[in-house]
Amino acid sequence: MSDSCQNRPACSISDIREAVCIHTKQIEDACIDKDCVEDLRVYLTKCSQKILDTATSARARCAELLNVYIDVSAIPYHQGHYTVDLTFFYRITGEAATGSARPTPIYGFAAFSKRAVLCGGLNCAKTFSSRGEGHCSFGCATPEAVVEAVDPMILAAKVVTVGQCCHPDPALPEIPPAVSQSFDDELALTGEEKRLYVTLGQFSTIRMERDSQLTIPAFDYCVPSKECCDDPGCEEDPCEMFSRIAFPTEAFFPCRQHPRAVTAEGQEDSKDN
């Protein structure tokens, strides 16, 4: 099977035919972020909470990013700049030691909120389209915020008995239906005896986009060169692809070390010395 999803013909500057106008999303501003979210409370499901209350210890195994809620607002008295409020919704999976031979799986919900400030430019045009109803708003249109993120790393976890927490938990945000459907049991929001906290490492990128008309060079018409196929494995013969993979020699032999020279006294002398 081919590694690439589509054909990308190689073109040089001398192949440019003309300049064409396209309508696309233009990135006005962007940033990358690396957040260390400490002591994030995990709201376990009712079944998992009962297990944790009687457990001697517990640990978090993995965290899955389920969704990100994005809200964009203009900053007063600072034209062209916007706040991007983000809420990350996670599914945390762990295990609790209950005295049995094997730990018991537990899982729950966690949420983390943050804010970023980016430049989104100004655009006071009203957009109408033949595809549907026109989008009409008073004032300047708000740019679109796009967030790309990966599943976070679990850096630490701890279990705290209720009443011994050293800091108040932030208010639980409203859980979107798409997120709540990821759990087959209700969350235990009150009445718990123990609480699970995790520390997460989250990588993300944020960018502000606006509809824009750009002029770009056109090389030629983009005509597909491969045939359509309804079988995922029919694009390329697997044995043909395997024949082009280099043999992993290093996987079959010990790691090679620097050769050592033997001195006149019969002792080995490192080549680095």
Side-chain angles (χ1 to χ4, degrees), residues 260 268-273:
R260 296 179 178 272
E268 288 187 347
D269 184 20
S270 174
K271 191 174 181 179
D272 296 334
N273 295 334

Side-chain angles (χ1 to χ4, degrees), residues 91-237:
R91 176 189 174 98
I92 308 296
T93 303
E95 54 187 22
T98 57
S100 58
R102 299 182 61 180
T104 305
I106 57 175
Y107 67 98
F109 163 84
F112 156 59
S113 298
K114 61 173 292 183
R115 170 174 288 185
V117 177
L118 292 173
C119 177
L122 293 175
N123 183 1
C124 294
K126 299 176 182 179
T127 303
F128 301 87
S129 173
S130 61
R131 292 185 176 182
E133 298 180 358
H135 301 284
C136 182
S137 60
F138 297 97
C140 296
T142 302
E144 180 182 358
V146 179
V147 178
E148 293 183 344
V150 296
D151 287 339
M153 301 170 55
I154 292 185
L155 306 177
K158 65 180 180 180
V159 177
V160 177
T161 303
V162 175
Q164 297 181 354
C165 299
C166 56
H167 56 82
D169 295 319
L172 180 66
E174 182 179 353
I175 305 176
V179 174
S180 60
Q181 292 173 2
S182 301
F183 301 89
D184 56 6
D185 190 9
E186 294 183 14
L187 299 177
L189 304 180
T190 59
E192 71 280 359
E193 297 180 11
K194 297 179 181 179
R195 294 175 180 175
L196 177 64
Y197 290 85
V198 295
T199 298
L200 303 180
Q202 178 69 68
F203 295 94
S204 62
T205 65
I206 309 170
R207 63 178 184 266
M208 302 291 281
E209 297 180 346
R210 280 190 183 277
D211 286 346
S212 180
Q213 294 78 39
L214 301 178
T215 301
I216 64 170
F219 295 91
D220 206 341
Y221 289 106
C222 184
V223 180
S225 60
K226 66 179 181 181
E227 296 181 359
C228 297
C229 179
D230 58 359
D231 182 2
C234 73
E235 293 185 3
E236 185 175 2
D237 181 76

Side-chain angles (χ1 to χ4, degrees), residues 74-85:
I75 300 179
Y77 313 112
H78 201 168
Q79 269 195 342
H81 286 75
Y82 299 82
T83 59
V84 184
D85 291 297

Side-chain angles (χ1 to χ4, degrees), residues 13 43 64 84 89 135:
I13 297 180
Y43 294 88
E64 178 187 0
V84 184
F89 298 97
H135 301 284

